[in-house]
């Protein structure tokens, strides 16, 4: 067995639960990237005013979201945590409704900026545009 084969076999998930978790992370990653692409297309069409995406750190967000006990732990993301929000249960539809300023935005009633999400149901605290300004709220 070559060292590469040995590495591949030793790093493979050992249990069905680990494989299911990795599959879920991958599925949310695909959803995040498809949602991000749609946001960019809408921005290029002049429909969405600006785009705030997790490009470059989406996998870390999703993996962090996998460690959250949904419905128990509170989360205080910042405006580029779209992948984390998807991992916690926010739907792309909710994101687009808010981004496009449509009625029925469950996070702010379309009164916030793009991806400034909050959800008492999902225990997601209100997002601030200034990085780290929501830390006192979280405490």
């Amino acid at each position: 067995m070559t060292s590469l084969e040995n590495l591949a076999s030793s790093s493979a998930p050992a249990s069905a639960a680990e494989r299911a978790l990795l599959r879920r992370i991958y599925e949310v990653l695909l959803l995040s990237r498809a949602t991000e692409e749609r946001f960019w297309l809408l921005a290029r069409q002049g429909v969405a005013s600006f785009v705030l995406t997790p490009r470059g750190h989406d996998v870390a967000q999703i993996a962090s979201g996998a460690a959250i006990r949904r419905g128990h732990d509170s989360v205080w993301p910042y405006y580029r945590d779209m992948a984390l929000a998807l991992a916690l249960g926010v739907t792309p539809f909710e994101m687009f409704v808010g981004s496009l300023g449509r009625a029925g935005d469950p996070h702010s009633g379309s009164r916030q900026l793009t991806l400034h999400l909050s959800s008492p149901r999902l225990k997601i605290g209100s997002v601030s545009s200034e990085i780290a300004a929501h830390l006192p709220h979280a405490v």
Side-chain angles (χ1 to χ4, degrees), residues 2 14 17 20 28 34-35 49 63 66 75 77 81 83 85-86 95-96 106 128 130 136 138:
T2 68
V28 175
T35 303
S49 58
V75 178
D81 283 343
L86 290 168
M95 293 178 182
F96 289 120
S128 174
E130 295 82 20

Side-chain angles (χ1 to χ4, degrees), residues 40-101:
W40 282 110
L41 291 172
L42 290 170
R44 287 185 196 117
Q45 294 170 1
V47 178
S49 58
F50 58 94
V51 180
L52 303 167
T53 64
R55 187 172 289 185
H57 50 109
D58 45 4
V59 175
Q61 291 180 20
I62 297 164
S64 296
I68 301 297
R69 295 173 296 169
R70 289 172 71 173
H72 180 77
D73 295 334
S74 66
V75 178
W76 295 81
Y78 83 120
Y79 61 87
R80 290 199 182 270
D81 283 343
M82 180 184 84
L84 172 63
L86 290 168
L88 295 175
V90 175
T91 67
F93 178 80
E94 292 172 340
M95 293 178 182
F96 289 120
V97 167
S99 175
L100 300 174

Side-chain angles (χ1 to χ4, degrees), residues 6 22 26 30 37 44 46 81 83 91 119 126 139:
N6 193 17
L22 290 175
Y26 184 66
L30 294 177
E37 181 60 29
R44 287 185 196 117
D81 283 343
T91 67
S119 173
S126 183
V139 172

